[in-house]
Amino acid sequence: MPWRDVKPMDEKILFIADHLREQGDFSALCERYGISRKTGYKWVKRYRADGLEGLAERSRRPHATTGEIPYTIRKAIIELRGQGRDPAGPKKIQELLSRRFADQPIPSKTTIYNVLKREGVLEPRRRRRHDQPSPHGLATATAPNELWSADFKGQFKMGNGRWCYPLTVMDHASRYLLGCQGLDGPRFVETRAEFERLFQEYGLPNRLRTDNGVPFASTATGGLSHLSIWWIRLGIMPERIEPGQPQQNGRHERMHRTLKLAVTHPPAANRAAQQELFDRFRIDYNERRPHEALGQRSPQSCYSPSSRPYPNHLPELEYPSYFQCQKVSCNGIAYWTGRRIYISYLLVGEWVGLEEVGDGIWAVYFGPLRLGSFDERQTKGRLNDYLTLKV
């Protein structure tokens, strides 16, 4: 039935009176008054708890609003948002507030967001399309130094017009930023020197993940480069993401986004000044900035150096006793029962291991990395003495 020409309070009283008198079909009673059963039960509950006063219209104002936040906390929210070049979001601000005001109730993330929005310090962010993960995903890491990731953050020009190529290295499990060094370019000698410094300070990881660019990889057999060959000799397994799949190194890419905001808007005047910005960013990222994926802990609190120290001498590779070992000659060729196999010009002077995996079929390894295989029964060339390594 439609509402009668009575005040809402009178309508509620009539509803309660009919309910107490009839004690019949509650659904039919609610239908007669044109209300839902949920509303009817709410009126009955309030009447039983507070009598007729419980039926009075209640304020729909939220129990707590941003205007009720103490001025000191509201001021701190704005202050924390403005610290550094990379502004903190509501989640990190909430964690930082809990550290600063340990004895006070901390606003919710939504309330913090509303404060920032009302102050006009939030910039709308373009929604990013999330690609589906590759079906051949790389193994993750659960402990420090199981996996490091490395990359060159996109180069940029400094104030003096020279280019800066930031090399970043991060521990995968703890998100600890091991190194952030500005280089003149992605060249082998400079890059190796920086990795050598990190290995001496933090020890050796088990694996090292990169993209397929120089100096991490090349078009040579197995994608090897001078840098990855050195890693393998040190007992570090290089692994590379698939081309065009940056999400396979998503943690590193996310750190780069934070780095870009913090140190390149605007860039410094020269290399020394830019490195000071990188160093300050590392301290802030590792020690002060809470990380959501770490339970709002800092990366420094979750990282410990590796138990594998950097050796004084580059160790020789070891192969199982059932492998046949051959040394790669000066032209990148290894010899097998009087026949030639081209391995790689990058492996000149290195030892490779050959494992028989079938009748006349041999797999070729450089350390733990499988380079390919050959069939000793299939030869070609003018002298019929050339074997082809199939990748």
Side-chain angles (χ1 to χ4, degrees):
M1 63 176 288
W3 285 97
R4 293 183 290 246
D5 190 16
V6 292
K7 295 181 180 180
M9 182 64 176
D10 296 335
E11 192 73 16
K12 294 177 184 178
I13 294 174
L14 292 173
F15 173 82
I16 295 297
D18 287 347
H19 169 66
L20 296 175
R21 182 176 63 254
E22 297 176 5
Q23 295 293 327
D25 188 345
F26 192 77
S27 297
L29 177 62
C30 292
E31 184 177 355
R32 194 162 75 237
Y33 277 83
I35 62 174
S36 65
R37 293 183 56 186
K38 180 180 179 181
T39 300
Y41 281 123
K42 179 179 68 174
W43 289 355
V44 171
K45 181 180 179 181
R46 290 181 178 177
Y47 174 77
R48 289 174 177 171
D50 302 314
L52 292 177
E53 293 182 358
L55 300 177
E57 193 69 22
R58 298 186 178 183
S59 172
R60 300 191 181 189
R61 184 171 178 242
H63 293 294
T65 65
T66 55
E68 296 175 348
I69 300 175
Y71 174 76
T72 303
I73 295 181
R74 195 162 66 249
K75 182 180 177 182
I77 292 174
I78 306 303
E79 175 191 338
L80 292 170
R81 174 69 180 182
Q83 285 183 351
R85 299 191 179 186
D86 178 35
K91 292 180 181 179
K92 287 184 172 56
I93 291 177
Q94 186 184 49
E95 173 63 22
L96 294 171
L97 285 175
S98 67
R99 299 177 186 178
R100 184 181 297 189
F101 303 99
D103 58 340
Q104 297 292 325
I106 302 303
S108 68
K109 293 186 288 290
T110 301
T111 300
I112 294 172
Y113 173 85
N114 290 334
V115 170
L116 297 174
K117 184 178 181 180
R118 190 171 58 185
E119 292 292 329
V121 295
L122 286 179
E123 296 181 2
R125 177 177 293 176
R126 179 175 60 88
R127 294 185 64 86
R128 300 169 64 91
R129 182 178 65 85
H130 294 280
D131 298 322
Q132 292 296 321
S134 169
H136 307 290
L138 300 171
T140 186
T142 57
N145 307 302
E146 284 185 9
L147 172 64
W148 288 6
S149 57
D151 196 6
F152 275 94
K153 173 72 186 74
Q155 70 273 17
F156 59 92
K157 279 188 177 181
M158 297 175 290
N160 58 6
R162 299 189 62 178
W163 289 96
C164 178
Y165 290 75
L167 172 64
T168 56
V169 184
M170 185 173 70
D171 178 68
H172 190 81
S174 66
R175 275 79 166 178
Y176 186 78
L177 185 56
L178 300 146
C180 183
Q181 185 70 31
L183 303 180
D184 290 332
R187 293 186 283 269
F188 166 67
V189 174
E190 292 179 80
T191 304
R192 170 171 167 155
E194 177 60 15
F195 273 105
E196 188 170 21
R197 184 187 69 80
L198 295 177
F199 293 157
Q200 290 172 343
E201 182 174 358
Y202 298 108
L204 303 178
N206 295 336
R207 295 177 285 141
L208 224 161
R209 180 179 298 174
T210 67
D211 60 16
N212 297 273
V214 293
F216 309 123
S218 74
T219 56
T221 305
L224 288 171
S225 67
H226 288 298
L227 189 65
S228 60
I229 290 171
W230 177 56
W231 290 343
I232 291 175
R233 288 285 301 273
L234 289 172
I236 302 169
M237 184 62 179
E239 60 180 44
R240 297 184 296 276
I241 64 175
E242 297 176 34
Q245 300 291 328
Q247 71 273 12
Q248 293 182 346
N249 209 4
R251 298 182 184 184
H252 207 102
E253 293 294 330
R254 178 61 185 88
M255 180 273 295
H256 272 182
R257 193 170 76 188
T258 304
L259 173 66
K260 180 180 179 180
L261 291 171
V263 301
T264 64
H265 290 279
N270 52 50
R271 174 85 168 270
Q274 190 65 55
Q275 189 58 50
E276 289 183 8
L277 293 180
F278 289 148
D279 294 340
R280 287 204 295 267
F281 174 79
R282 276 195 66 237
I283 293 174
D284 181 71
Y285 190 87
N286 287 334
E287 302 176 15
R288 301 168 185 163
R289 184 184 179 90
H291 200 296
E292 181 182 355
L294 301 175
Q296 299 299 355
R297 292 178 295 168
S298 65
Q300 184 185 48
S301 67
C302 300
Y303 179 74
S304 57
S306 172
S307 60
R308 299 174 57 210
Y310 180 68
N312 294 324
H313 303 285
L314 194 61
E316 293 291 342
L317 291 175
E318 296 183 359
Y319 295 97
S321 58
Y322 57 88
F323 273 44
Q324 301 290 328
C325 295
Q326 297 292 324
K327 194 171 187 177
V328 180
S329 67
C330 60
N331 52 10
I333 289 176
Y335 291 89
W336 175 249
T337 63
R339 286 166 288 186
R340 299 174 297 166
I341 317 164
Y342 180 76
I343 305 298
S344 174
Y345 70 95
L346 292 174
L347 291 175
V348 170
E350 301 287 352
W351 289 90
V352 294
L354 284 71
E355 177 192 16
E356 189 172 16
V357 294
D359 185 16
I361 300 176
W362 294 79
V364 182
Y365 288 85
F366 178 63
L369 182 65
R370 190 179 190 273
L371 300 178
S373 62
F374 67 89
D375 189 336
E376 63 181 0
R377 297 163 300 184
Q378 296 179 356
T379 58
K380 63 178 184 178
R382 185 171 59 85
L383 301 176
N384 203 34
D385 67 341
Y386 191 80
L387 296 168
T388 301
L389 183 67
K390 295 182 179 179
V391 179

